Amino acid sequence: MSRKEGQKLKLLALIEILARETDEKHPLSVPRLVELLAQRGIEAERKSIYADIDTLNDLPGGRFEILQRRGRGGGYYMADTPFELAELKLLVDAVYTSKFITARKSKALIEKLGQFTSKWQQAELSRSVLVSGRIKSQDEKILYTVDTLHRAITAGVQVRFKYCDWTLDKRMVPRHDGKFYQVSPWTLVWENGNYYLIAYTDGQLKHFRVDKMARAEELPDAPREGADAYAGFDVNTYTQQLFGMFNGPAKKVTLRCENRLAGAMIDRFGTEPTLVPRPDGEQFDLTVTVQVSPQFFGWVAGFAGGVEIVGPADVRAEMKKVLDLLQQRYR
């Protein structure tokens, strides 16, 4: 091996050691760096290490930042990494709590994320985030379905898939006797730990849960449709109108709420709707557009009388039917 090739190999090994073995709390002395290089079969003099660190710090673009901590127990450490530890923790939490990622794939992804920081900080990523009642998917095919949908969206073509439901014996069975759904995909939404596809079909935009899709395929010869409908689409408004991602007719509904629930309403509908105080000083009204469904009525009932549907009359009447049915069931 030529001296030039050996120097390149030494620099690469030094970068790897600094990236994985050091951080601000765990610097390495130059003698220790020499030892670790020797363990990799690379001989180095102490003077050359100082020169190598200067070379890495002087690289154009400031790709590496290697700092020195002086004093007892001091040494050199890699300060500039692709991700801050706090950023990696956020990514790990997102992976861990996602229902659509299997437990095995979650573990593998978290291990890969750990390669972007030191081994000392990686240990902090191996933590469990407590999520009550969270059930992880058992099917890794969803990752490939998501990839297929992304490719189709980028290419501007339609997709087809079989859409499934769970049976009592815990099997996923296609709807409509196994016929393919053919839709024009526009965007993917992550809501309540699940992926949903927003697609144009039958003259309107609809959503489909990605983990219920089977045999998703791109259709390269079928250009995507629904550009005009999607041009005026606001995904945030759409998800605010839905409850549990269940479809229903969109209607403007006026809700009368106890003042203590102002925060709950803002969390659900954002700051745009006006909260109109009532003369009694204890309640307020707000008018929002929602997709009226049984899940919406269940959401209202969940406030145990703190929220009342004031209008329109037909939605209020539907709420009463739901409550009458529940009263009969629990009589």
Side-chain angles (χ1 to χ4, degrees), residues 32-83:
R32 180 57 179 158
L33 289 172
V34 171
E35 289 178 12
L36 292 174
L37 286 170
Q39 291 175 11
R40 289 164 169 78
I42 300 171
E43 295 185 7
E45 298 179 356
R46 292 178 59 174
K47 283 186 178 180
S48 69
I49 299 297
Y50 295 112
D52 289 339
I53 290 174
D54 289 339
T55 298
L56 293 174
N57 279 330
D58 291 340
L59 284 175
R63 183 175 177 184
F64 301 106
E65 184 181 7
I66 301 162
L67 301 181
Q68 182 181 20
R69 196 177 83 184
R70 299 184 182 278
R72 187 174 181 180
Y76 290 91
Y77 64 93
M78 182 82 77
D80 188 20
T81 56
F83 294 96

Side-chain angles (χ1 to χ4, degrees), residues 236-293:
N236 291 323
T237 300
Y238 182 79
T239 53
Q240 283 176 357
Q241 293 174 2
L242 293 167
F243 288 80
M245 294 301 284
F246 282 84
N247 278 316
K251 296 185 179 182
K252 277 194 174 182
V253 175
T254 299
L255 303 174
R256 184 160 296 162
C257 313
E258 295 176 359
N259 287 347
R260 63 184 177 85
L261 298 175
M265 296 302 113
I266 291 172
D267 287 344
R268 187 66 183 77
F269 300 109
T271 56
E272 187 172 342
T274 302
L275 310 186
V276 182
R278 296 282 299 159
D280 62 11
E282 297 180 356
Q283 296 176 304
F284 64 89
D285 290 349
L286 80 158
T287 300
V288 291
T289 300
V290 302
Q291 294 202 19
V292 179
S293 66

